[in-house]
Amino acid sequence: MHGGPGPARPRLREAGERHMTAPADPRALRFGYGTNGLADLRLDDALGLLADLGYDGVGLTLDHMHLDPYAPDLAARTRRLAHRLAALGLEVTVETGARYVLDPRRKHGPTLLDAAPEDRRRRTDLLLRAVRVAADLGAHAVHCFSGIVPPGTDRDTAWDRLAASLAPVLDAAATAGVPLAVEPEPGHLLATLADFHHLRGLLGDPAPLGLTLDIGHCQCLEPLPPADCVRAAAPWLRHAQIEDMRRGVHDHLPFGEGEIDFPPVLAALADIGYRGLTVVELPRHSHAGPHHAERSLPFLRRATADTPAPRSATPEGSTV
């Protein structure tokens, strides 16, 4: 990309080829890249790029430019996308963090915590659509988040709204056989692993409820180091996001620009037997998305090669 033509890119994979060439190592991690970091590309072009670069999958954010969940013929468009993913050998997790897909004037609004019931229902509807899309794509999970507590709302009320809003989504996820993976997000009601466990308690620990663990968020605000967060999250981990970050600053950074020591984190993911996608999450770097996609995968592979030997056996209940 810089300073000359460089080495030739590998050809795109044919349908089914990945299953014949996948590594035999059961600890091998599978890496993806989030389409929210490739927002300036058409979805088909983004998928072709990721397959060309050697990624195992994609974190698909449902948005107006990438499989718009509110445009006509969603089911037909989803079927076409499923064929494209299969042809490229790409796995998928469905993400729902689009900034303005529901409200063109309010970032990430409405949320599951809003005061108006009709606003909460709009967010729930998006998640129900995401579950249907995920089932049709054979996705690992559907990602979601709680939202920020609205002004004037006490936290107990916010938790009640969150639990009630997620109940129909969890029912749909159970029927579809696709886990719902809630992400602790800095500044949100559900911001930490402890908050995730609070939600589990409120809901009665339903089987479809899982966890999205963002490694950068662990560095940002969790009391445990990121690798220990991975091990603590093992029984509920259904989706992983990864980027660099600094302590106390919620800013998704390209690898090498933050403070995270990645080999122990990747070793922890391998040790617990995590077999979902680990998706690079750089939404604020979409203007240079192809560049960051190209450099991120070699970084993760080098960090994986540097991982220490397994510390312990896979914990009981970890995701596979």
Side-chain angles (χ1 to χ4, degrees):
M1 298 179 66
H2 302 285
R9 281 178 162 181
R11 65 178 176 85
L12 299 182
R13 290 175 292 274
E14 300 297 332
E17 183 176 338
R18 173 172 299 282
H19 300 290
M20 293 186 293
T21 59
D25 183 359
R27 298 176 70 246
L29 299 177
R30 296 198 284 263
F31 296 113
Y33 200 93
T35 59
N36 60 359
L38 296 168
D40 295 309
L41 276 66
R42 297 178 182 87
L43 179 56
D44 193 64
D45 291 339
L47 298 177
L49 170 72
L50 297 182
D52 203 12
L53 293 174
Y55 281 91
D56 301 289
V58 58
L60 173 66
T61 295
L62 302 183
D63 208 344
H64 61 88
M65 80 293 285
H66 292 158
L67 197 64
D68 186 341
Y70 290 99
D73 301 320
L74 177 60
R77 288 183 288 118
T78 301
R79 285 194 295 272
R80 289 195 293 271
L81 175 58
H83 289 306
R84 177 64 168 157
L85 291 168
L88 294 174
L90 292 173
E91 302 172 25
V92 62
T93 299
V94 173
E95 302 190 351
T96 61
R99 292 183 176 95
Y100 296 102
V101 71
L102 291 177
D103 188 332
R105 293 175 175 85
R106 187 157 58 118
K107 181 181 176 182
H108 295 313
T111 77
L112 300 171
L113 311 179
D114 281 13
E118 60 269 24
D119 285 344
R120 299 198 298 274
R121 283 195 291 269
R122 287 178 63 202
R123 177 61 62 171
T124 296
D125 178 71
L126 173 63
L127 298 182
L128 291 172
R129 290 169 183 256
V131 169
R132 290 194 291 272
V133 167
D136 290 345
L137 294 179
H140 291 294
V142 171
H143 149 278
C144 71
F145 49 75
S146 68
I148 297 170
V149 179
T153 301
D154 66 86
R155 291 181 66 84
D156 286 343
T157 298
W159 280 113
D160 288 344
R161 290 175 184 170
L162 178 61
S165 297
L166 285 179
V169 185
L170 289 164
D171 288 344
T175 300
V178 179
L180 184 69
V182 181
E183 178 186 7
E185 183 79 24
H188 284 210
L189 173 68
L190 198 158
T192 64
L193 286 171
D195 293 332
F196 170 74
H197 292 304
H198 181 67
L199 177 65
R200 285 179 55 234
L202 289 176
L203 291 169
D205 198 17
L209 180 63
L211 174 71
T212 292
L213 189 68
D214 187 303
I215 301 304
H217 295 173
C218 297
Q219 177 69 22
C220 180
L221 52 69
E222 291 285 354
L224 294 173
D228 290 343
C229 289
V230 169
R231 291 186 170 89
W236 305 278
L237 185 59
R238 301 295 178 264
H239 181 43
Q241 297 172 342
I242 195 165
E243 68 284 317
D244 218 338
M245 203 169 287
R246 301 187 181 100
R247 184 71 177 169
V249 182
H250 184 203
D251 187 8
H252 291 232
L253 300 173
F255 297 115
E257 297 185 14
E259 301 170 340
I260 298 176
D261 183 13
F262 284 97
V265 173
L266 298 172
L269 285 167
D271 290 350
I272 67 169
Y274 175 66
R275 298 300 290 150
L277 289 172
T278 300
V279 173
V280 179
E281 189 81 359
L282 291 173
R284 295 183 182 178
H285 293 76
S286 194
H287 63 283
H291 165 71
H292 290 292
E294 185 171 22
R295 72 178 295 271
S296 293
L297 187 58
F299 178 94
L300 290 169
R301 285 176 170 165
R302 288 193 301 270
T304 302
D306 292 338
T307 55
R311 193 171 81 178
S312 61
T314 301
E316 183 179 354
S318 63
T319 185
V320 295

